[in-house]
């Protein structure tokens, strides 16, 4: 009897310990803009009736931002779930990059990255960031979480807007204005890691906006002129039929198993206040945020 009671208490403790975890939440959506990040439950949200489960605001004193970073993080473009949905990686065209622990909201790393638009977490606690503009030229940069003030690698990339780490392929993909690149990690265990460009493809439309992984072999590329499938094995682009007639898509998240599609599109100049979900079909309005990209839990 004592043993059963002890195991029961251990089970309850494990549940409480993981109350803040997001790894088992498949329909949580990270929405960002105006120096704020909100995680919402898409299943429980509809129209303007939004079920918010988490929030981070640069203006909240509890955010404990480093001095001056309240301005650098004023325009958060992308908020991405990383590390099994336990951390949030933010990039801001206001010039900042930040890694946040979702459960504690502690800032784990931050850097001044001019015109950062997209980032992803790489092996060895390093972060790849795509920049649209920089005083030294457009760039793809690598930072180490422990020393974020130092750029450990830099490559030229014109108008970088998308970065995706493909764990199964062990490759990094970076999207620029008119090209998609594939990189492999080189000397990654050293103090001077680098990326080697393996391939480069010209995208069949201009002004690349977003790069979204679907599975090991496929990605979606959104640009000013449309949304395209990219088959990595065949090295081919093809139209993404569900959004063939939708103009100016900014971000897209798609699950081919369920047919669930979540995307944003430019409606007020370059920004949108709306998130579109198909299967089920719904539109969620975020009046408080200038939404650009949205990301679902992995």
């Amino acid at each position: 009897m004592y043993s059963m009671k002890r195991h029961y208490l251990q089970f309850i403790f494990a549940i409480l310990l993981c109350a803040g975890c997001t790894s088992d939440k498949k329909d949580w959506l990270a929405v960002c803009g105006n120096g704020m990040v909100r995680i919402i439950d898409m299943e429980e949200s509809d129209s303007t009736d939004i079920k918010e489960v988490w929030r981070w605001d640069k203006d909240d004193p509890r955010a404990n931002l480093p001095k001056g970073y309240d301005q650098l993080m004023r325009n958060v473009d992308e908020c991405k779930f990383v590390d099994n949905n336990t951390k949030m990686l933010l990039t801001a065209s206001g010039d900042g990059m930040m890694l946040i622990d979702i459960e504690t909201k502690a800032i784990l790393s931050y850097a001044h990255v001019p015109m950062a638009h997209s980032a992803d977490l790489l092996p060895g606690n390093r972060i790849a960031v795509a920049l649209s503009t920089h005083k030294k030229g457009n760039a793809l940069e690598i930072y180490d979480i422990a020393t974020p003030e130092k750029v450990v690698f830099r490559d030229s990339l014109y108008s970088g807007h998308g970065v995706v780490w493909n764990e199964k392929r062990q490759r990094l993909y970076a999207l620029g204005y008119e090209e998609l690149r594939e990189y492999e990690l080189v000397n990654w265990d050293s103090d001077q890691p680098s990326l080697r460009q393996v391939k480069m493809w010209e995208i069949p439309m201009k002004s690349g906006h977003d790069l979204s992984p679907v599975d090991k072999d496929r990605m979606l590329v959104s640009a000013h002129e449309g949304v395209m499938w990219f088959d990595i094995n065949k090295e081919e682009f093809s139209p993404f039929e569900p959004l063939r007639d939708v103009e100016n898509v900014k971000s897209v998240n798609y699950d081919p198993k369920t047919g669930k599609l979540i995307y944003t599109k430019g409606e007020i100049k370059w920004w949108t206040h709306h998130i579109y979900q198909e299967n089920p079909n719904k539109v969620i309005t975020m009046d408080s945020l200038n939404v650009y990209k949205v990301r679902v839990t992995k």
Side-chain angles (χ1 to χ4, degrees):
M1 178 67 71
Y2 174 78
S3 178
M4 290 180 63
K5 182 177 181 180
R6 183 182 64 183
H7 287 308
Y8 175 76
L9 291 174
Q10 288 175 338
F11 174 72
I12 296 299
F13 178 74
I15 293 176
L16 293 174
L17 185 64
C18 201
C21 297
T22 62
S23 58
D24 60 340
K25 301 297 184 181
K26 302 303 180 184
D27 290 302
W28 280 8
L29 186 74
V31 183
C32 49
N34 304 80
M36 182 187 299
V37 182
R38 300 173 67 182
I39 298 178
I40 64 175
D41 188 327
M42 288 296 290
E43 295 295 325
E44 300 295 327
S45 299
D46 198 1
S47 186
T48 56
D49 184 13
I50 298 166
K51 175 62 180 298
E52 181 180 294
V53 297
W54 187 89
R55 176 183 293 205
W56 182 88
D57 189 335
K58 75 174 185 63
D59 293 327
D60 187 335
R62 293 172 297 179
N64 198 27
L65 279 171
K67 185 177 180 180
Y69 273 76
D70 57 335
Q71 289 301 309
L72 296 180
M73 300 304 296
R74 65 186 181 276
N75 294 320
V76 183
D77 286 335
E78 182 182 70
C79 41
K80 181 182 292 185
F81 293 99
V82 295
D83 197 12
N84 196 31
N85 304 320
T86 61
K87 298 176 179 63
M88 185 70 67
L89 184 55
L90 313 182
T91 54
S93 59
D95 288 351
M97 177 275 291
M98 193 166 289
L99 183 66
I100 300 174
D101 183 283
I102 291 178
E103 184 172 1
T104 65
K105 297 187 179 181
I107 299 173
L108 305 176
S109 187
Y110 54 88
H112 177 203
V113 186
M115 293 304 290
H117 277 286
S118 182
D120 211 348
L121 186 64
L122 304 182
N125 287 325
R126 290 179 172 130
I127 297 174
V129 187
L131 293 68
S132 63
T133 58
H134 193 284
K135 62 183 179 181
K136 295 182 180 180
N138 307 111
L140 171 69
E141 295 181 340
I142 303 296
Y143 292 81
D144 194 296
I145 288 177
T147 57
E149 69 281 356
K150 176 184 177 183
V151 179
V152 297
F153 175 82
R154 185 172 222 280
D155 194 13
S156 176
L157 176 67
Y158 178 54
S159 192
H161 273 76
V163 174
V164 167
W165 169 247
N166 190 318
E167 179 69 28
K168 293 183 178 179
R169 287 182 172 270
Q170 290 290 293
R171 289 291 189 270
L172 179 70
Y173 295 88
L175 176 69
Y177 182 80
E178 56 186 12
E179 65 184 28
L180 174 63
R181 297 182 186 179
E182 180 184 71
Y183 291 91
E184 67 174 353
L185 310 183
V186 178
N187 297 325
W188 210 246
D189 294 331
S190 72
D191 293 333
Q192 295 183 317
S194 64
L195 298 174
R196 185 179 74 86
Q197 183 177 312
V198 179
K199 294 182 179 179
M200 188 274 286
W201 304 274
E202 183 177 346
I203 61 176
M205 57 281 197
K206 303 300 181 183
S207 187
H209 288 162
D210 190 27
L211 189 60
S212 177
V214 175
D215 51 40
K216 174 188 174 184
D217 302 319
R218 295 181 298 172
M219 294 180 288
L220 285 170
V221 179
S222 64
H224 182 68
E225 299 173 9
V227 180
M228 306 288 287
W229 278 112
F230 180 66
D231 187 304
I232 301 173
N233 293 325
K234 296 180 180 179
E235 301 185 56
E236 292 179 353
F237 292 91
S238 59
F240 181 59
E241 293 296 335
L243 294 176
R244 178 183 280 272
D245 298 322
V246 180
E247 297 180 351
N248 210 12
V249 173
K250 296 303 179 186
S251 68
V252 55
N253 301 263
Y254 180 63
D255 184 346
K257 295 180 180 179
T258 62
K260 185 171 291 184
L261 170 65
I262 302 173
Y263 64 96
T264 61
K265 62 178 182 177
E267 293 179 338
I268 304 174
K269 295 183 179 179
W270 284 90
W271 299 97
T272 177
H273 296 298
H274 308 294
I275 303 162
Y276 301 87
Q277 178 179 356
E278 297 184 3
N279 187 21
N281 188 280
K282 64 172 68 173
V283 179
I284 294 178
T285 303
M286 307 288 287
D287 289 329
S288 61
L289 297 180
N290 288 325
V291 179
Y292 188 79
K293 296 179 181 179
V294 294
R295 285 288 179 262
V296 297
T297 45
K298 296 181 179 181

